[in-house]
Amino acid sequence: METPLPQASPTPKTPDGIVIAVRGAVVDVSFADAELPAIDTALIVDWDRPETLVLEVHSHVDPQTVRAIALQATMGLARQTGVRATRVPVTVPVGDAVLGRLLDVVGTVRDNGPALPDDTPRRSIHQKPPALEDETSATDIFETGIKVIDLLAPLAQGGKAAMFGGAGVGKTVLVMELIHAMGAKYQGLSVFAGVGERSREGHELLTDMQSSGVLERTVLVYGQMNEPPGARWRVPLTALTIAEYFRDEKHQNVLLLMDNVFRFVQAGSELSSLLGRLPSRVGYQSTLASEVAALEERIASVPGASVTAIQAVYVPADDFTDPAVTAISSHMDSIIMLSRKLAAEAFYPAIDPLASSSVLLDPLVVGEDHYALAERAREALARFEELRDIIALLGVEELGADDRLIVKRARRLQRFLSQPFVVTEAFTGTPGESVSRADTLAGCKAILDGEADDWAESSLYMVGTLNQARAKEAASQKVAKP
């Protein structure tokens, strides 16, 4: 068990150092009469405010001065304020006591609930990844109940998946639906890291989890948009530390959700500028690749327990060649691309079936039938995309018979791959649907084989299984008859 992080007290000990400069979230501290604290260890500011201010040593400026990053707001911090060196890294509470609770970056409870027990174990947020020989490869399918993901970009139990999309295309809704799927189907533990998200979204997620009954098996860790960059930069490590404890000490499978990993990179870029480093490509920090790798390499599975990571990634200006996006995607097993064009056409989830991919979509993993069906679906959708301009100019009647048939089936398949979510039921009034992989494959095969050629396209839109679409078609036929 790690040494707990000391808290501020009404009668603080004699400070080890003093603040000599404050530049936003970057604070310089002089230790003229004490040994310099090591890098990545915590400092406690002895100031006249009730809330604790924790700093983390980032670099040694000279033999007497360290440069530290503030994990809370530094508003009101003055020079000559005393600072105590803890000589240990920032530690956060872990274990069963934090289940159902909402924590901040240093592990303080923020849900207005009771304090954590005094005997709650704590762990440093800086941990080494498992040795390569101790890691296990992820080949078991993690069924999400979302048709387009399970068909074309299956997720791995113990793997890493990222959902890339610009603003307003449905990343957070998709993450919330996956939390619900994990709680309903796998009865597993979830750790959610809200990195740089809006306070409103955090409050909505907390109330939704309380009402759905999955909060008891979930830990929420937040470093929100209104918090300093230091909090947003370190909060993924806090969440990952809690997940690692359940994996290593409790031998339990954990679902780790991060929304939004781009904000982690963005916070690192802000701090890099405040620290006076030269920027790299597109203004990002020069340490972008190593920071992302240090986070992602800790997400690993060991024999007997896995950490399945699902990460939402904001794509600035819908530019998928952005350095942050490419750095994150290089670590992923499954890549789910969200399309603004599909969202504009009201296809939800707005997942691009042609741009999304997964290393698990392999006949040795998913089976020959699933692989062949996914290839057929991709071919039909790709051909439909190629013919879109011709259809817009000349109309579908000018196509050959084979192309007309492909377009007809691709349009129906596209509508079948949409589905209502449980988490949007309050807004749409449509009950959410979770579809098993077997039903997804059966429905897609029937559409590609021509079973739904004579059905109205609307019968396949926003339904779960093909049987529901069949019932919808039969009901519309009855209405159509005089």
Side-chain angles (χ1 to χ4, degrees):
M1 187 176 76
E2 299 286 346
T3 307
L5 182 67
Q7 301 295 313
S9 61
T11 55
K13 298 175 183 176
T14 305
D16 303 305
I18 57 170
V19 173
I20 59 172
V22 182
R23 291 184 300 280
V26 176
V27 180
D28 286 359
V29 182
S30 173
F31 290 88
D33 302 319
E35 180 187 352
L36 281 187
I39 289 173
D40 286 342
T41 57
L43 310 175
I44 305 291
V45 176
D46 283 332
W47 61 349
D48 57 354
R49 306 208 170 200
E51 62 270 14
T52 304
L53 175 56
V54 180
L55 312 176
E56 187 181 69
V57 178
H58 182 270
S59 60
H60 291 178
V61 179
D62 59 43
Q64 294 184 338
T65 310
V66 300
R67 186 156 290 160
I69 291 166
L71 301 184
Q72 287 102 358
T74 56
M75 186 72 68
L77 180 62
R79 292 182 182 179
Q80 303 301 311
T81 302
V83 176
R84 285 184 289 118
T86 67
R87 310 290 174 183
V88 294
V90 173
T91 62
V92 294
V94 294
D96 294 336
V98 299
L99 288 173
R101 307 307 300 270
L102 189 150
L103 311 175
D104 66 8
V105 64
V106 295
T108 307
V109 175
R110 295 293 184 186
D111 55 11
N112 296 325
L116 296 174
D118 293 337
D119 60 350
T120 303
R122 299 181 75 97
R123 259 195 174 194
S124 163
I125 64 170
H126 298 286
Q127 302 284 341
K128 291 184 178 179
L132 196 58
E133 62 265 23
D134 296 333
E135 294 184 19
T136 57
S137 58
T139 56
D140 292 334
I141 301 294
F142 176 81
E143 278 196 37
T144 64
I146 300 170
K147 290 180 286 190
V148 64
I149 294 178
D150 289 342
L151 174 68
L152 297 172
L155 307 188
Q157 181 90 34
K160 287 177 276 198
M163 294 174 293
F164 296 92
V169 295
K171 297 183 300 299
T172 300
V173 171
L174 203 50
V175 167
M176 290 171 67
E177 184 71 11
L178 288 166
I179 292 174
H180 187 275
M182 179 67 174
K185 184 166 185 177
Y186 286 91
Q187 299 297 313
L189 299 178
S190 300
V191 179
F192 178 84
V195 187
E197 290 302 286
R198 301 166 186 86
S199 302
R200 169 186 57 79
E201 291 175 340
H203 185 264
E204 285 177 2
L205 182 63
L206 179 61
T207 52
D208 287 347
M209 286 188 153
Q210 286 172 335
S211 60
S212 62
V214 299
L215 186 62
E216 290 75 17
R217 301 186 64 77
T218 306
V219 186
L220 302 177
V221 187
Y222 273 95
Q224 296 182 129
M225 194 177 280
N226 60 336
E227 295 189 58
R232 288 178 271 126
W233 194 47
R234 287 309 191 202
V235 77
L237 302 187
T238 301
L240 187 51
T241 300
I242 295 169
E244 287 171 334
Y245 178 84
F246 285 115
R247 179 196 67 193
D248 298 336
E249 304 298 327
K250 300 285 188 177
H251 307 291
Q252 292 176 296
N253 293 336
V254 184
L255 177 64
L256 175 66
L257 300 118
M258 285 195 258
D259 185 12
N260 177 313
V261 183
F262 175 79
R263 304 292 179 202
F264 158 74
V265 173
Q266 192 177 45
S269 179
E270 291 175 38
L271 289 170
S272 182
S273 298
L274 288 169
L275 291 165
R277 293 189 195 139
L278 287 174
S280 182
R281 282 194 305 155
V282 201
Y284 285 110
Q285 62 270 43
S286 53
T287 53
L288 169 64
S290 59
E291 286 177 13
V292 171
L295 174 67
E296 297 293 348
E297 289 306 310
R298 281 177 61 181
I299 303 171
S301 299
V302 297
S306 65
V307 175
T308 304
I310 298 173
Q311 306 169 29
V313 184
Y314 167 68
V315 179
D318 290 345
D319 179 13
F320 289 93
T321 64
D322 186 86
V325 175
T326 54
I328 295 166
S329 64
S330 64
H331 294 273
M332 296 299 141
D333 302 315
S334 303
I335 294 175
I336 297 166
M337 296 288 194
L338 285 96
S339 162
R340 189 171 301 282
K341 181 180 171 186
L342 288 172
E345 294 175 1
F347 289 114
Y348 294 106
I351 295 171
D352 188 334
L354 300 178
S356 302
S357 62
S358 171
V359 295
L360 268 73
L361 193 59
D362 184 287
L364 296 175
V365 179
V366 297
E368 293 284 354
D369 293 342
H370 183 160
Y371 179 77
L373 184 63
E375 288 297 297
R376 282 183 67 194
R378 275 225 174 93
E379 284 173 13
L381 293 168
R383 183 60 180 159
F384 173 46
E385 200 62 36
E386 289 172 8
L387 296 169
R388 270 181 181 271
D389 290 343
I390 297 173
I391 293 168
L393 288 170
L394 304 175
V396 73
E397 295 80 10
E398 297 301 317
L399 300 176
D402 290 344
D403 282 342
R404 278 204 305 274
L405 188 62
I406 288 172
V407 168
K408 179 189 287 188
R409 291 177 181 174
R411 285 176 62 88
R412 282 159 176 76
L413 179 64
Q414 192 177 47
R415 280 149 182 78
F416 180 67
L417 291 177
S418 68
Q419 74 187 82
F421 281 172
V422 173
V423 295
T424 60
E425 190 173 327
F427 308 105
T428 63
T430 306
E433 296 289 344
S434 179
V435 185
S436 68
R437 187 161 69 111
D439 285 341
T440 297
L441 298 180
C444 293
K445 186 175 187 303
I447 291 168
L448 291 171
D449 287 344
E451 186 177 326
D453 284 359
D454 298 327
W455 296 7
E457 291 180 359
S458 58
S459 298
L460 294 150
Y461 178 69
M462 282 292 173
V463 296
T465 63
L466 192 68
N467 285 336
Q468 291 177 356
R470 190 178 283 113
K472 196 173 174 183
E473 172 68 15
S476 66
Q477 291 291 345
K478 283 182 183 178
V479 172
K481 288 180 182 177

